[in-house]
Amino acid sequence: MVADTGEREMQQPNARLAQAFVIVLTVATVISFVHRYLPSVLVDSIRGDMAITDVQFSTLQTAFALTYAAATLGSGWIADRTNRRNLIVAGVSLWTGGTILFGLANELSHFWTARIMIGLGEAVLGPAGISLICDYVSPRQRGKAIALTFFGATLGTSLAFSGGGWLLDRAEAGLFAGLPVLADLSPWRQVVLTLGGLGLILIPSLLAFKEPQRSFDPKTASKGRLSDLWRLRSLFWLTLFTGSSVAVADFAYTTWQTSLLTRSHDLSAGEAGQLLGLSAFIAGTAGAWVGGFLSDRAHDKAGLAGRIGLVQLCALGLLGSAALLAFPLTWAAIAAFALWQVAANIAYVAVAVTLQDLVTDRTRALAASMSVCLSIGLGLGFGPTTVALLNQSVVGEGGLSASLLIVLGVMGLITLSCATLLRRGLKGRQASHTS
């Protein structure tokens, strides 16, 4: 007996409208990541101007991270029950207001409030955006559409560091001299307020789109959402853990890769940052685009289980990245990071689209939010700390490469195991539905 989920037949919007929406959502992702990482670029200027310590500044990042993780879960639940376009507009307004407040803050409490506002606002974008993409884009094209938003995250992070640093240099050289309001502010404030205002262009762009028709009535289909996920519990949690296992190693790698190059390969922090920034942008972008293309092809050939077969291949790439760290050569460390970026981004795209294909329409945003929460929780909670503990207690100081190799190798094997079990389960599900 098939459970009644309250879902009904629907027609997706035309292709041009879908493409336009995905582009706007990608721009929103770019701007959100610029706003998210901008304080990290301006840290020294802020500390010098406001006379705050490293620890006090770090609490601003903690405030954002904790708020973002908690609010993501709540926003996923809300997005499945309300107008998602309006929810994203509210989120954009909130995080833009928070960024502008950050640029005007004069006390530590004001900085905390601003970062909490940014965390609350940005938490809406992922769950609601992915849910909307699934209603705008056909299953055969979802991989490329979601990959484009992943590219937005990569581009936004790169622009925050490179563009934010460039604009700070220009501001210190007098770029904003003579302009009303901005001219009397510190250079870092000029940068924050200038880039913070970018969020305002998103609001009319998003309002130009209508909330697409859903395959269910949110008012009458709300009670069965958790039961939908419960029926899929084995496959659902395997999908989440497959993505989270990549995230654990990803956070570990991203946190310690710069230190690896400066400690073990005698590069300056500036040289390491430039190499890694360029590598992350090129390899991350390639991974997202290739991941979108290949995941859609895999879906066409093998259905629901096809994209996870791609994740299995990516897990082998992750293991290859770990193996490169065994070579005490600078080029090997850079190649390892680039290979990791390609494989990890392909895996992220494939897992994200598989999750959306697996769950029912009325649980898409909730499922996406749970995936983000688990990835952030496990990734931040275990990845960087495990490397540090291994470096201090097992391999000893100076053995950062070995510590990373261990963590990446173990998580690569876990990813491969989870993906293998998940693919087997998805094949069984496909067989039962066709028999």
Side-chain angles (χ1 to χ4, degrees):
M1 179 178 180
V2 178
D4 181 13
T5 63
E7 296 186 2
R8 57 175 181 254
E9 293 294 323
M10 61 168 285
Q11 289 186 341
Q12 289 166 325
N14 66 66
R16 289 186 177 180
L17 184 62
Q19 291 171 357
F21 176 76
V22 172
I23 290 172
V24 170
L25 191 64
T26 301
V27 173
T29 304
V30 171
I31 294 175
S32 75
F33 272 75
V34 169
H35 290 181
R36 181 182 305 185
Y37 287 112
L38 197 54
S40 298
V41 182
L42 307 173
V43 54
D44 289 335
S45 297
I46 295 172
R47 286 180 63 252
D49 190 36
M50 300 300 298
I52 61 176
T53 66
D54 285 339
V55 173
Q56 288 174 320
F57 184 83
S58 70
T59 63
L60 302 180
Q61 308 298 72
T62 302
F64 169 84
L66 293 177
T67 302
Y68 181 83
T72 295
L73 191 59
S75 66
W77 182 264
I78 295 171
D80 284 327
R81 302 166 67 93
T82 189
N83 186 299
R84 295 159 294 179
R85 183 208 63 177
N86 292 345
L87 188 61
I88 293 178
V89 169
V92 170
S93 302
L94 186 59
W95 96 53
T96 299
T99 303
I100 293 172
L101 175 61
F102 192 93
L104 298 173
N106 289 311
E107 297 180 9
L108 190 60
S109 60
H110 298 163
F111 284 117
W112 282 332
T113 301
R115 292 300 283 173
I116 288 172
M117 289 174 62
I118 295 170
L120 286 171
E122 291 191 0
V124 170
L125 187 60
I130 286 181
S131 178
L132 278 168
I133 284 176
C134 290
D135 283 343
Y136 269 106
V137 181
S138 68
R140 295 184 62 184
Q141 301 295 322
R142 284 175 188 164
K144 288 186 282 290
I146 291 178
L148 187 59
T149 64
F150 277 56
F151 165 73
T154 300
L155 180 59
T157 303
S158 177
L159 287 177
F161 285 92
S162 59
W166 176 86
L167 191 58
L168 179 62
D169 288 340
R170 302 287 79 75
E172 290 174 341
L175 176 64
F176 298 98
L179 292 181
V181 182
L182 291 177
D184 296 329
L185 299 177
S186 303
W188 72 265
R189 295 184 187 275
Q190 295 170 340
V191 173
V192 173
L193 293 177
T194 300
L195 296 180
L198 292 175
L200 299 176
I201 68 174
L202 293 172
I203 296 174
S205 301
L206 288 165
L207 290 174
F209 296 90
K210 294 182 179 180
E211 172 80 2
Q213 178 189 2
R214 299 202 196 210
S215 62
F216 63 93
D217 183 354
K219 296 180 179 179
T220 60
S222 60
K223 293 184 179 180
R225 287 185 172 90
L226 291 180
S227 62
D228 287 353
L229 295 181
W230 177 254
R231 283 191 291 271
L232 295 168
R233 57 191 179 276
S234 296
L235 295 176
F236 177 71
W237 284 106
L238 265 177
T239 306
L240 294 192
F241 280 118
T242 300
S244 297
S245 61
V246 178
V248 170
D250 203 18
F251 277 106
Y253 215 164
T254 303
T255 300
W256 292 106
Q257 180 63 15
T258 300
S259 296
L260 173 65
L261 292 180
T262 57
R263 296 180 190 180
S264 303
H265 299 280
D266 297 323
L267 296 182
S268 68
E271 291 171 334
Q274 291 176 5
L275 283 171
L276 293 177
L278 182 62
S279 175
F281 178 73
I282 295 175
T285 300
W289 281 106
V290 172
F293 176 76
L294 292 181
S295 68
D296 284 343
R297 285 196 62 184
H299 179 270
D300 289 342
K301 290 184 176 182
L304 189 59
R307 291 185 172 107
I308 300 303
L310 186 61
V311 177
Q312 289 177 297
L313 295 177
C314 289
L316 297 178
L318 302 180
L319 292 172
S321 174
L324 282 171
L325 293 176
F327 296 93
L329 302 169
T330 302
W331 70 263
I334 298 296
F337 184 72
L339 177 58
W340 179 271
Q341 288 290 315
V342 172
N345 277 281
I346 293 175
Y348 281 141
V349 171
V351 170
V353 184
T354 298
L355 181 63
Q356 293 301 306
D357 288 345
L358 177 64
V359 301
T360 58
D361 291 354
R362 62 182 180 177
T363 59
R364 282 175 175 161
L366 179 60
S369 66
M370 292 176 69
S371 177
V372 171
C373 282
L374 191 64
S375 292
I376 290 177
L378 292 179
L380 279 176
F382 292 98
T385 304
T386 302
V387 173
L389 290 173
L390 283 171
N391 206 44
Q392 291 179 8
S393 305
V394 180
V395 300
E397 293 293 338
L400 187 54
S401 182
S403 299
L404 280 170
L405 190 156
I406 293 170
V407 172
L408 269 56
V410 169
M411 298 315 301
L413 290 173
I414 292 176
T415 300
L416 181 60
S417 300
C418 288
T420 300
L421 292 173
L422 176 58
R423 190 183 185 200
R424 187 180 303 165
L426 291 174
K427 283 184 174 181
R429 178 179 173 81
Q430 287 179 198
S432 65
H433 282 187
T434 55
S435 61

